[in-house]
Amino acid sequence: MRFNSPDEIELPLPYGIEENRLGFYVMKKNEPEFIELCNFVPYISSQVTTFDGYDTNTKVKLAGFDSYGNPLPEITVTNDDFDKMIWVRQNWSFDCNIVPGGGIKDRIRYAIQSTSKYAPKSEDYSTTGWYKKNDEYVFLMPGDSENEVHLEGKLQSYQFSRHELTEKEYADIFMLICNVAPNEIMQPLLSFVFLSPLNSFLHEAQCEPKTVLMLYGKTGSKKSTLAALILSFFGRFSNTDLPLSFRDTANSIIYNTGSLKDVLTVVDDFHPSQKSDEYTMTGII
C-alpha cells in the first residue's frame, strides 16, 4: 500500500509525524514536546515471504516521504539489513538523515514496524516443482496465475504457457514431436519429460531415479536443437539459450539446478578442447 502523504500514516503513541519528520512525544510541563528521530517518514508498503526450495525468508518493501513531503522510491530490504538501517543511505541518499543518539535506530525500527498493519502480505517463490501449501500440493512454475514464481537469468525461459487445445490437437502435436528423430532417441527423451514432474513423489517413496540422459553426436548433428525442443515442454527455449552449459562454473550449475525442482534441464556444450577442459567438464558430471 502506498500513501499519498505523511498525514495518512497513523502511528501508535508516543510516536508521531510533524512537518514530514518522524519522531515521538514526551511530556514537559504538562505539554507534549515533539522529539525528532529522522528528517523523513518511512513505512512498510508490503511484506513478501520468499521460498527458494530450502529456506523461507521475509523481506519488506519500504516507502516513505522526504522532509519536503515528496515520495521516496520503494525499496526492498531483507530481515538482516532492516535493523542496521544502512538501507537509508544506500537507497535514499544523504538527504535522509537519522538523528544521532543511543536507541534512536531502535525507536525508528519500532515506528516502521507499527505500519505493517497497512501492508499487504504476499508469497514469492524462486523454485519450481511440487510444494505443499495449505495442506495441498501445488506445482510452482513461472506463469502460474495463482503463485508468484520468479527465476533468474536464463532460467527465466521456464514458464507455464496455457493454450486451449482439443485432445486431438494435443495428440497431433505429440505425434509430430515423436517423429522428429528415431524412436531409440525420442522415446528416452520423452520418458524423461514425463518422469521429471514425478521426482518429488518418487523421492518420498525412496525410489527416485539417479540417472542423467546424454545426447551424443558429431558437431552439427542438431543435439542442442533437439534438447531445446524437448526442454520446451517446460518453457520457451532455443538451441542458443539453453539454461546451463559446461562452460559455466560447477558452483553456478549447482546453484541454478537447486532452483529447478521436478522439471527437466539441460547442461549443454560438452566438448573439451584440451586436457584442462576435459578435467573441468568431467568433474561437473
Side-chain angles (χ1 to χ4, degrees), residues 50-167:
T50 61
F51 177 69
D52 62 5
Y54 302 99
D55 300 312
T56 300
N57 297 292
T58 300
K59 297 180 181 179
V60 292
K61 290 188 176 182
L62 301 175
F65 299 92
D66 64 17
S67 58
Y68 300 100
N70 299 316
L72 293 166
E74 189 175 57
I75 60 174
T76 301
V77 178
T78 64
N79 270 344
D80 291 339
D81 289 339
F82 180 72
D83 289 346
K84 300 174 185 175
M85 294 288 170
I86 57 175
W87 45 268
V88 176
R89 185 175 66 253
Q90 289 177 341
N91 297 277
W92 289 343
S93 80
F94 286 88
D95 293 334
C96 294
N97 207 358
I98 295 175
V99 173
I104 296 294
K105 290 182 179 180
D106 281 337
R107 287 183 177 274
I108 295 174
R109 176 197 56 75
Y110 180 85
I112 295 174
Q113 282 189 240
S114 69
T115 65
S116 64
K117 61 185 178 182
Y118 304 110
K121 297 176 176 63
S122 63
E123 295 179 329
D124 196 349
Y125 304 90
S126 57
T127 182
T128 63
W130 291 106
Y131 176 68
K132 198 167 188 179
K133 180 180 179 182
N134 299 328
D135 294 325
E136 293 184 358
Y137 280 101
V138 296
F139 195 87
L140 301 175
M141 196 75 165
D144 179 6
S145 59
E146 296 182 2
N147 300 287
E148 291 291 328
V149 183
H150 300 98
L151 301 178
E152 300 177 352
K154 287 188 176 181
L155 302 190
Q156 294 179 53
S157 295
Y158 283 92
Q159 60 177 256
F160 272 149
S161 181
R162 301 186 184 278
H163 299 284
E164 295 296 329
L165 300 177
T166 64
E167 289 185 11

Side-chain angles (χ1 to χ4, degrees), residues 18-285:
E18 286 194 9
E19 297 180 352
N20 305 319
R21 287 164 164 76
L22 173 66
F24 65 101
Y25 296 95
V26 295
M27 295 299 295
K28 288 192 175 180
K29 297 180 179 179
N30 295 324
E31 291 291 333
E33 180 180 337
F34 183 75
I35 308 297
E36 182 180 327
L37 292 170
C38 57
N39 69 340
F40 58 99
V41 182
Y43 65 90
I44 297 175
S45 56
S46 66
Q47 301 178 66
V48 182
T49 300
T50 61
F51 177 69
D52 62 5
Y54 302 99
D55 300 312
T56 300
N57 297 292
T58 300
K59 297 180 181 179
V60 292
K61 290 188 176 182
L62 301 175
F65 299 92
D66 64 17
S67 58
Y68 300 100
N70 299 316
L72 293 166
E74 189 175 57
I75 60 174
T76 301
V77 178
T78 64
N79 270 344
D80 291 339
D81 289 339
F82 180 72
D83 289 346
K84 300 174 185 175
M85 294 288 170
I86 57 175
W87 45 268
V88 176
R89 185 175 66 253
Q90 289 177 341
N91 297 277
W92 289 343
S93 80
F94 286 88
D95 293 334
C96 294
N97 207 358
I98 295 175
V99 173
I104 296 294
K105 290 182 179 180
D106 281 337
R107 287 183 177 274
I108 295 174
R109 176 197 56 75
Y110 180 85
I112 295 174
Q113 282 189 240
S114 69
T115 65
S116 64
K117 61 185 178 182
Y118 304 110
K121 297 176 176 63
S122 63
E123 295 179 329
D124 196 349
Y125 304 90
S126 57
T127 182
T128 63
W130 291 106
Y131 176 68
K132 198 167 188 179
K133 180 180 179 182
N134 299 328
D135 294 325
E136 293 184 358
Y137 280 101
V138 296
F139 195 87
L140 301 175
M141 196 75 165
D144 179 6
S145 59
E146 296 182 2
N147 300 287
E148 291 291 328
V149 183
H150 300 98
L151 301 178
E152 300 177 352
K154 287 188 176 181
L155 302 190
Q156 294 179 53
S157 295
Y158 283 92
Q159 60 177 256
F160 272 149
S161 181
R162 301 186 184 278
H163 299 284
E164 295 296 329
L165 300 177
T166 64
E167 289 185 11
K168 184 179 183 307
E169 287 173 327
Y170 276 118
D172 290 344
I173 292 172
F174 187 77
M175 291 306 298
L176 184 63
I177 294 173
C178 288
N179 293 323
V180 168
N183 285 341
E184 59 265 28
I185 295 175
M186 293 306 299
Q187 287 179 2
L189 287 174
L190 291 169
S191 296
F192 263 62
V193 167
F194 297 104
L195 176 65
S196 297
L198 301 175
N199 272 344
S200 284
F201 303 112
L202 292 172
H203 177 74
E204 288 184 11
Q206 298 183 348
C207 57
E208 181 182 13
K210 301 184 183 300
T211 57
V212 295
L213 192 62
M214 182 174 181
L215 281 172
Y216 179 80
K218 295 180 180 179
T219 300
S221 59
K222 304 298 183 182
K223 301 184 300 297
S224 296
T225 301
L226 182 56
L229 173 65
I230 296 301
L231 196 59
S232 292
F233 275 93
F234 299 95
R236 300 176 64 88
F237 296 91
S238 71
N239 63 339
T240 59
D241 68 349
L242 291 169
L244 303 170
S245 167
F246 277 96
R247 298 293 175 184
D248 300 334
T249 64
N251 285 341
S252 173
I253 292 174
I254 292 171
Y255 174 80
N256 283 291
T257 53
S259 301
L260 300 175
K261 179 171 168 282
D262 302 327
V263 297
L264 198 62
T265 194
V266 173
V267 185
D268 192 32
D269 215 20
F270 181 76
H271 53 82
S273 57
Q274 51 190 352
K275 276 291 182 183
S276 59
D277 285 346
E278 182 177 355
Y279 175 79
T280 300
M281 292 183 178
T282 305
I284 290 174
I285 297 176

